[in-house]
Amino acid sequence: MHPLFNSNRSLLTLIFTWVVLCCLIALLLWELTDDAPLEARGLLISLYALPLYLLLLFFCSANYYLCMRLPANQYALNWLFIAHASAALLTVGLWLMLGQAWSQLLENTGLTGARTLHEETLWINGLLGLVLYCAWVLVHYTYLIAKGDEANNAQALAQKLLISDIELQAVKATVHPHFMYNSLNMLANLSVAAPEKIHDICVQMSEFLRYSVNYAKKDTVTIHEELTHIENYLAIEKERFGKNLAVTIDVDPACLYRPAMPLLLFPLVENCIKHGIQSQLAPGYISLVMKPLGEHMEIQVENSFDPEGQKAESTNHGLASLKKRMGGHYGAGATLNIAKSANTFKVTLKLPHLTQPSTLKLGVDS
């Protein structure tokens, strides 16, 4: 529905404005037909012009939908001019033909001079029709641009709030109590069995926690920084799992300094540990492969798991949170695919080149 018809207030304002305009046009026609008998001229002009220009109001308001189909920011100016000029000529031509039929009807009902009035004022009616049509086009484009800016600002604000909330939750989830509990137990054991390793492990824990708290607040980091964060985490976990954890990381150098959202890789790798390696008594593996793929970057994280093993309780928070954050940062071009076999679990991310936080929505296949 046309926005002017959405509320009584705007509709009454439109009607009042149009009535005033019709009165001014009637005065103009009065001056142009001063050779007609004075006593019949007022009635003739009123019955001819007022319904005719009321019909023009509906014709002009209909170009709102053409303006919606041809957004000003998506088409060249010459194409817009051609489209609207063609529509204006067709609309005003049809309107004048209906005006001729209306004047003939008035003539047939005994209002002498209606047909003559139409023929004498044909050029001024045509000119006024084109001017009013063009004015409505400008009004509609102004309204649509203002409405678009308002919607974009609201969407950007909502997206920013969503990202902030998700990132806060991600930071809280990162410093997992179980990770700290397991790490402290491991340090206690190392203090007896291999105290020389404690310093390096403490440094890696410190770097891991520093990144989790500080870098998560940034808009973007680099893939290199993400890898360093993951390597610190896996170094701690390798000390805990020993020979039962094998890690392979294969990253194309072209990806290293690409911008990425903070904490992109951690939920994937943490998922491998919690639901894969931790469920196995036999040795397991985690594989991380990262390579450019045209305008995108592909990330594959795969791990082994024991389908019969005891698994950690799943909250479904890790991948769900990652999916939402990807939507906020990368937009609709980002995808997340999950592939599961008898004893392997693989997540594949396909990410467009990140330049700035996007306002588009994510498309996720699973």
Side-chain angles (χ1 to χ4, degrees):
M1 179 180 290
H2 193 286
L4 286 172
F5 302 136
N6 285 338
S7 71
N8 292 334
R9 185 175 180 179
S10 59
L11 182 59
L12 289 174
T13 303
L14 172 64
I15 292 175
F16 174 78
T17 305
W18 203 256
V19 167
V20 172
L21 182 63
C22 287
C23 292
L24 294 175
I25 292 173
L27 288 175
L28 177 62
L29 297 180
W30 176 282
E31 293 297 327
L32 293 174
T33 57
D34 55 357
D35 54 340
L38 184 61
E39 59 275 11
R41 213 185 333 162
L43 178 62
L44 180 62
I45 291 175
S46 299
L47 291 178
Y48 167 75
L50 294 181
L52 188 61
Y53 277 87
L54 182 61
L55 179 64
L56 182 62
L57 169 63
F58 288 98
F59 277 26
C60 290
S61 61
N63 68 34
Y64 171 74
Y65 302 100
L66 182 60
C67 294
M68 288 181 64
R69 297 283 296 180
L70 300 173
N73 57 354
Q74 295 183 16
Y75 289 88
L77 188 60
N78 55 337
W79 283 109
L80 292 176
F81 176 79
I82 292 172
H84 285 292
S86 302
L89 291 174
L90 289 173
T91 302
V92 174
L94 176 62
W95 174 66
L96 290 175
M97 290 174 62
L98 293 174
Q100 183 178 5
W102 174 242
S103 65
Q104 185 63 51
L105 180 63
L106 292 176
E107 189 84 26
N108 293 340
T109 56
L111 194 63
T112 306
R115 182 63 183 269
T116 304
L117 175 64
H118 173 74
E119 292 173 351
E120 289 181 348
T121 59
L122 184 62
W123 66 272
I124 189 65
N125 283 330
L127 181 62
L128 287 173
L130 289 173
V131 170
L132 291 172
Y133 186 93
C134 293
W136 273 95
V137 170
L138 293 177
V139 169
H140 286 149
Y141 271 128
T142 303
Y143 170 79
L144 289 172
I145 291 172
K147 183 182 176 184
D149 290 344
E150 183 180 357
N152 289 337
N153 291 337
Q155 188 177 12
L157 179 60
Q159 198 72 33
K160 188 175 180 180
L161 292 173
L162 175 64
I163 292 173
S164 298
D165 181 61
I166 291 172
E167 288 180 344
L168 178 60
Q169 297 302 322
V171 171
K172 290 179 179 177
T174 298
V175 190
H176 199 284
H178 284 252
F179 169 74
M180 298 300 295
Y181 172 78
N182 292 331
S183 299
L184 290 174
N185 270 341
M186 177 191 65
L187 289 174
N189 294 331
L190 284 177
S191 66
V192 175
E196 69 278 4
K197 293 183 177 179
I198 291 179
H199 175 267
D200 291 342
I201 297 295
C202 286
V203 170
Q204 287 166 331
M205 286 183 64
S206 173
E207 288 298 314
F208 169 76
L209 294 174
R210 184 179 65 84
Y211 184 95
S212 300
V213 173
N214 294 335
Y215 279 63
K217 299 174 183 176
K218 295 187 175 182
D219 288 335
T220 59
V221 295
T222 64
I223 290 296
H224 182 267
E225 290 170 323
E226 278 288 290
L227 284 173
T228 302
H229 179 59
I230 291 305
E231 287 169 351
N232 284 328
Y233 173 72
L234 288 175
I236 299 165
E237 294 294 11
K238 283 185 73 175
E239 196 63 44
R240 184 159 72 98
F241 289 101
K243 294 181 180 178
N244 281 351
L245 173 59
V247 177
T248 58
I249 297 178
D250 180 11
V251 178
D252 190 303
C255 298
L256 281 177
Y257 294 97
R258 283 196 175 191
M261 72 174 191
L263 300 177
L264 170 67
L265 300 178
F266 179 71
L268 300 174
V269 178
E270 185 194 36
N271 197 63
C272 295
I273 295 290
K274 287 175 61 179
H275 305 292
I277 305 304
Q278 215 163 252
S279 69
Q280 294 182 257
L281 295 177
Y285 73 92
I286 296 176
S287 168
L288 170 62
V289 178
M290 201 176 298
K291 58 186 178 183
L293 196 65
E295 296 297 323
H296 292 69
M297 177 172 61
E298 185 179 82
I299 300 173
Q300 291 183 347
V301 180
E302 181 178 326
N303 67 275
S304 58
F305 71 93
D306 182 355
E308 304 298 328
Q310 185 177 3
K311 300 179 181 61
E313 184 180 353
S314 175
T315 61
N316 295 319
H317 179 269
L319 293 182
S321 174
L322 177 64
K323 183 173 65 177
K324 292 178 181 176
R325 294 175 60 227
M326 285 170 56
H329 282 267
Y330 291 94
T335 59
L336 186 156
N337 291 290
I338 296 173
K340 188 176 182 181
S341 65
N343 55 6
T344 62
F345 186 87
K346 183 166 73 175
V347 178
T348 302
L349 307 183
K350 188 178 176 184
L351 306 173
H353 185 64
L354 182 63
T355 53
Q356 60 182 5
S358 172
T359 58
L360 301 177
K361 295 180 179 178
L362 171 66
V364 175
D365 304 319
S366 59

